[in-house]
Amino acid sequence: MNVLKILIVLTSHSQLGDTGHKTGFWVEEFAAPYYALADAGVEVTIASPLGGQPPIDPKSEAPESQTDATRRFFGDKDLQQKLANTIPLSQVNAADYDAVFYPGGHGPLWDLTNDKNSIALIEQFYNNGKPVAAVCHAPAVLLHTKKANGEPLVKGLKVTGFSNTEEEAVQLTKVVPFLLEDELKKNGGAYSKGPDWGSYVLQDGLLITGQNPASSEEAAKLLLELLNKK
């Protein structure tokens, strides 16, 4: 049986708008999917726009943000070493992987959303029948992607992502470059959400999206199920 190969793409962006605060990727949204996939025997490769160490959102390192997966990550020197050496997106070939997974954090709103390498990569995966998964703020990476027919990738598809009410709750509505829920709707996505901070994951064909940090492990497990059916 062939080993499944999944690419995880993280942000390289560390500035939270012009607040002077730091952002990056949210640890739980990386750690929970990573372990769900790796523990199932998947070969996971990690990439980012700039390569090297992606910035971790400091708030995701706070005591109240810890989960079993994050505690495992902070004690896992091998994975931390792997994370410090992510591959630059420009060197990634979609043909080498079975699927791609994008964890969130606020960082992707600034870099991955408009990153030409990321956009091309997602289109290569999706238009060649390979699943694309994104959680929390990471569905923003879909906003400039197109289906083979030229339409927005999310048009007519069931999607979710960090909701306007969750953005209000963390008081960043005026800081972020756009509200993800609004933009997914503008692109023709059939957006829906579950309760704030609860796990809510949607699959529509090859696209899997999760609403928030709590949705990240479920999204990875759904991705595994989808790949194992193929």
Side-chain angles (χ1 to χ4, degrees), residues 18-63:
D18 52 13
T19 61
H21 295 295
K22 294 291 187 189
T23 189
F25 73 90
W26 198 259
V27 174
E28 182 187 2
E29 295 172 34
F30 164 68
Y34 180 90
Y35 289 124
L37 297 171
D39 291 350
V42 173
E43 188 180 302
V44 182
T45 300
I46 313 169
S48 64
L50 300 179
Q53 174 70 52
I56 291 174
D57 187 315
K59 287 185 177 168
S60 72
E61 297 179 296

Side-chain angles (χ1 to χ4, degrees), residues 103-152:
H106 281 87
L109 298 180
W110 279 276
D111 65 348
L112 286 167
T113 301
N114 303 298
D115 186 283
K116 288 182 172 53
N117 290 316
S118 177
I119 291 166
L121 200 65
I122 292 167
E123 290 176 347
Q124 284 163 4
F125 273 96
Y126 189 84
N127 293 325
N128 286 299
K130 294 180 178 180
V132 174
V135 293
C136 198
H137 285 92
V141 304
L142 305 168
L143 293 176
H144 300 298
T145 58
K146 302 266 193 293
K147 296 183 178 119
N149 64 5
E151 290 186 337

Side-chain angles (χ1 to χ4, degrees), residues 32-34 36-37 101 215-225:
Y34 180 90
L37 297 171
F101 189 103
S215 312
S216 52
E217 185 171 358
E218 189 186 337
K221 287 179 173 171
L222 198 58
L223 178 59
L224 268 178
E225 280 177 31

Side-chain angles (χ1 to χ4, degrees), residues 4-187:
L4 287 172
K5 295 180 179 180
I6 294 180
L7 181 70
I8 289 182
V9 180
L10 294 169
T11 181
S12 294
H13 185 88
S14 63
Q15 299 301 315
L16 189 60
D18 52 13
T19 61
H21 295 295
K22 294 291 187 189
T23 189
F25 73 90
W26 198 259
V27 174
E28 182 187 2
E29 295 172 34
F30 164 68
Y34 180 90
Y35 289 124
L37 297 171
D39 291 350
V42 173
E43 188 180 302
V44 182
T45 300
I46 313 169
S48 64
L50 300 179
Q53 174 70 52
I56 291 174
D57 187 315
K59 287 185 177 168
S60 72
E61 297 179 296
E64 63 272 16
S65 299
Q66 300 320 300
T67 63
D68 288 346
T70 63
R71 284 185 281 272
R72 183 175 168 188
F73 165 74
F74 287 120
D76 187 341
K77 295 291 178 254
D78 288 343
L79 181 52
Q80 288 177 34
Q81 184 65 29
K82 187 173 178 178
L83 183 68
N85 294 284
T86 67
I87 300 168
L89 267 183
S90 58
Q91 295 176 18
V92 171
N93 183 354
D96 295 339
Y97 305 96
D98 298 296
V100 63
F101 189 103
Y102 282 79
H106 281 87
L109 298 180
W110 279 276
D111 65 348
L112 286 167
T113 301
N114 303 298
D115 186 283
K116 288 182 172 53
N117 290 316
S118 177
I119 291 166
L121 200 65
I122 292 167
E123 290 176 347
Q124 284 163 4
F125 273 96
Y126 189 84
N127 293 325
N128 286 299
K130 294 180 178 180
V132 174
V135 293
C136 198
H137 285 92
V141 304
L142 305 168
L143 293 176
H144 300 298
T145 58
K146 302 266 193 293
K147 296 183 178 119
N149 64 5
E151 290 186 337
L153 193 148
V154 300
K155 186 178 178 182
L157 296 181
K158 290 182 284 194
V159 288
T160 189
F162 205 61
S163 65
N164 291 353
T165 50
E166 286 167 319
E167 204 68 82
E168 281 166 25
V170 296
Q171 300 180 333
L172 291 173
T173 301
K174 301 280 193 290
V175 173
V176 292
F178 54 84
L179 292 172
L180 179 56
E181 177 182 329
D182 292 353
E183 293 303 310
L184 287 169
K185 288 174 181 172
K186 281 181 196 167
N187 270 257

